[in-house]
Amino acid sequence: MSALVLRAGRLSAQVERRTAVASLALVAAMLLLAFAALCRGDSWDPPGEVLAALLGQGDAALIVQEWRLPRVTAALVFGAALGAAGAIFQNVTRNALGSPDVIGLDAGAYTGVLIAITVFGGTAAGLAAGSLAGGLAAAAVVYVLSLRSGLSGLRLIVIGIAVNAMMTAVNNWIVLRAQLDVAIAATGWSAGSLNGLDWDELRIPFLIVAALGVLLAALARTMGQAALGDDLAATSGVALTRYRLLIIITGVGLTATVTSATGPIVFVALAAPQIGRRLAGAAGTPALPAALTGGLLLLAADLAAQTVLAPVQLPVGVVTTVLGGAYLTWLLIMEMRRR
């Protein structure tokens, strides 16, 4: 018995060490890619000039600090938020397909944004509140319809896809019924973009993401226990009902905050947790590697969006959709082979 406990302890230490190494490697990759993104404007600027601009020196200081830096920071923060949200729902559902964009939460958050734009005028507070309300409503519908399966398995995914399709139809109807200028703005919003974001627009979303990140960190240990299964979690003292309520609100809040600021950006929340899990070598879906991977993926996608058809800048959601569609197809094939 003692030998078994010792072996389990060694295995756990190896996993934690690999998770730490993977996290540090992801942070280093994020910093390198962030600096490369700061060099990307109408053309590629010399690294020395960009570094001087970050220090407030040179003619490019205003452009780098007020135009490029907010966009790069938003990609890192919002990508991390989406990656963490994906880890939350994949842990809750114990399914690699259980991400906010697949099970309809992104579409629900976008519905809330559309209602805020068309009915209440689309203030920053209104967009945030509408996005959160829509995401929570979609989560409630999926939760109620999936109770039989215990929030896991293919049943939840199918229900989520159905809810996603219905909410998408509702969104299209709202856009068609809206006035022309509102419809044009809403359609552009639906692509998901980091273009034109400034520090004033990002201040409130960053504060919300930071607060939800603190809450997620407080729930991280419980999330690890809950990933072992309901029975083991209950015997270890986890209040499952309270935990699920808090963790789902956290996940919806992260998704809704990103949607209210940028529009729906799909597939980052689906792919980042699984890539982070494989890099960390963990049995579950740890939130930290997922968040770091999400930040790296969104920043890479945004850099590609600026470069592929330069000088035309694509919305980052277009790039994540193209890449994520291929990933989702592969993931669906792998899931069906396991059954």
Side-chain angles (χ1 to χ4, degrees):
M1 184 68 177
S2 59
L4 186 61
V5 172
L6 184 60
R7 174 185 279 183
R10 287 176 179 172
L11 182 60
S12 176
Q14 289 176 356
V15 171
E16 290 179 1
R17 193 181 306 116
R18 181 170 171 179
T19 300
V21 171
S23 298
L24 289 173
L26 286 168
V27 169
M30 289 166 65
L31 292 175
L32 289 173
L33 192 61
F35 187 75
L38 289 174
C39 295
R40 184 71 176 97
D42 294 334
S43 60
W44 289 96
D45 294 337
E49 290 184 11
V50 173
L51 185 59
L54 287 174
L55 299 174
Q57 303 170 4
D59 297 334
L62 178 64
I63 295 174
V64 170
Q65 292 185 8
E66 299 298 327
W67 294 1
R68 298 180 192 172
L69 188 57
R71 180 172 185 158
V72 170
T73 308
L76 293 174
V77 173
F78 292 155
L82 292 173
I88 286 172
F89 287 103
Q90 289 181 20
N91 273 302
V92 168
T93 62
R94 303 188 196 102
N95 194 306
L97 291 171
S99 74
D101 37 13
V102 173
I103 61 177
L105 304 190
D106 275 10
Y110 183 49
T111 303
V113 168
L114 286 177
I115 293 173
I117 292 174
T118 55
V119 178
F120 301 106
T123 64
L127 292 179
S131 182
L132 180 60
L136 287 173
V141 171
V142 174
Y143 181 87
V144 170
L145 294 177
S146 305
L147 281 178
R148 257 194 190 165
S149 62
L151 295 181
S152 61
L154 191 59
R155 176 186 173 89
L156 182 141
I157 304 304
V158 173
I159 290 172
I161 291 173
V163 170
N164 187 54
M166 288 187 291
M167 298 307 296
T168 300
V170 170
N171 295 342
N172 291 335
W173 179 81
I174 293 174
V175 171
L176 288 172
R177 297 287 296 178
Q179 296 180 358
L180 181 60
D181 56 340
V182 175
I184 292 173
T187 302
W189 190 283
S190 68
S193 177
L194 298 172
N195 297 345
L197 292 175
D198 58 34
W199 292 120
D200 290 336
E201 294 174 308
L202 294 173
R203 190 174 294 112
I204 292 177
F206 281 3
L207 288 174
I208 295 173
V209 170
L212 292 172
V214 171
L215 178 58
L216 178 58
L219 293 171
R221 184 171 178 274
T222 305
M223 188 164 68
Q225 292 174 309
L228 298 175
D230 291 357
D231 294 337
L232 286 175
T235 55
S236 63
V238 175
L240 287 172
T241 302
R242 178 173 172 272
Y243 157 73
R244 281 177 178 155
L245 178 62
L246 285 175
I247 204 71
I248 287 174
I249 289 175
T250 302
V252 172
L254 290 169
T255 302
T257 301
V258 175
T259 302
S260 69
T262 67
I265 297 176
V266 297
F267 292 117
V268 174
L270 176 70
Q274 293 302 308
I275 296 173
R277 181 179 69 84
R278 284 168 172 78
L279 290 174
T285 310
L288 180 58
L292 295 175
T293 303
L296 185 62
L297 286 178
L298 187 56
L299 182 58
D302 189 51
L303 189 57
Q306 297 177 64
T307 305
V308 171
L309 296 179
V312 176
Q313 294 191 8
L314 295 172
V316 68
V318 173
V319 177
T320 60
T321 299
V322 171
L323 298 177
Y327 176 80
L328 179 60
T329 302
W330 173 81
L331 195 58
L332 283 169
I333 293 172
M334 296 302 293
E335 283 290 312
M336 296 304 297
R337 284 181 177 175
R338 292 194 188 111
R339 297 180 182 279

